Amino acid sequence: VYTKPTSGAPAVPKDLEARLARLEAAIGEAHLRAPALSGDLAGRPLLEATHRLAGKLALLEPASLEQVDSRLAALNHRLAQLTSDKREPLADADTQTRVAELYELVKKWDGLADSVHGIVGRLTALRELHEQAMQFSGALNLIDQSQRASSAQLESSASLLAGLEKRLTEDLKTVQANTASLQERMKALGK
């Protein structure tokens, strides 16, 4: 019982497919040990695996081998160019001068790089000292302001005291004059 091919695929009788399935079950996948073969064929039916192998075999035809060979030759030539470019010394004198300058700069930086950690530590300590100095300066400003206020109050109090003293002196003179006048009157009344 053969069927007509429908899509260009070879006609496979149902009986043959059943026999292939039994063969696959009997043989198993243990015989496909080559990694190149069993990589994408593992777990596939035998018929599908043979179709895939036929496709890979078609890649080995002389026409496709020539294309692969020409591509490999082009890649090999490009690789040789890249490696020879890296081996050639720098031809440009200006570029060599710049490279030498950069090398000297990096060499100088190497000496400084070791001391950077110490400089950072010193700067941190100086920052703390600066903050303490700012706090001290703020406290000193407060003391100066309160001293100025106290001086102003002392001057005000001194002027008030001088005024009071002057007034008390005048009042004392007035009291003494009144007392003297009262004593004279009492003497005059007592005579």
Side-chain angles (χ1 to χ4, degrees), residues 2 14 22 25 38 43 48-49 56 58 63 71 79 89 114 121-122 136 139-140 142 144-145 164 177 185 187 191:
Y2 293 99
K14 291 183 182 184
R22 280 184 289 177
S38 64
E48 188 179 335
K56 287 182 180 182
R71 284 185 181 174
L79 184 62
D114 295 336
R122 289 179 187 166
F136 177 74
L140 196 59
L142 281 173
D144 188 40
Q145 287 174 358
L164 184 64
R185 274 192 195 171
K187 276 186 191 177
K191 287 189 184 178

Side-chain angles (χ1 to χ4, degrees), residues 65-126:
L65 284 178
E66 287 175 10
Q67 287 178 347
V68 169
D69 190 37
S70 64
R71 284 185 181 174
L72 283 176
L75 283 174
N76 193 17
H77 178 68
R78 180 68 181 143
L79 184 62
Q81 277 182 334
L82 289 175
T83 55
S84 68
D85 287 347
K86 287 186 179 180
R87 290 182 187 161
E88 290 179 7
L90 296 173
D92 191 25
D94 188 38
T95 306
Q96 287 181 350
T97 309
R98 287 183 185 172
V99 168
E101 289 173 0
L102 286 174
Y103 177 73
E104 290 299 320
L105 183 68
V106 168
K107 213 161 103 176
K108 288 177 187 176
W109 174 251
D110 282 343
L112 291 175
D114 295 336
S115 60
V116 167
H117 183 68
I119 291 171
V120 168
R122 289 179 187 166
L123 287 175
T124 304
L126 283 175

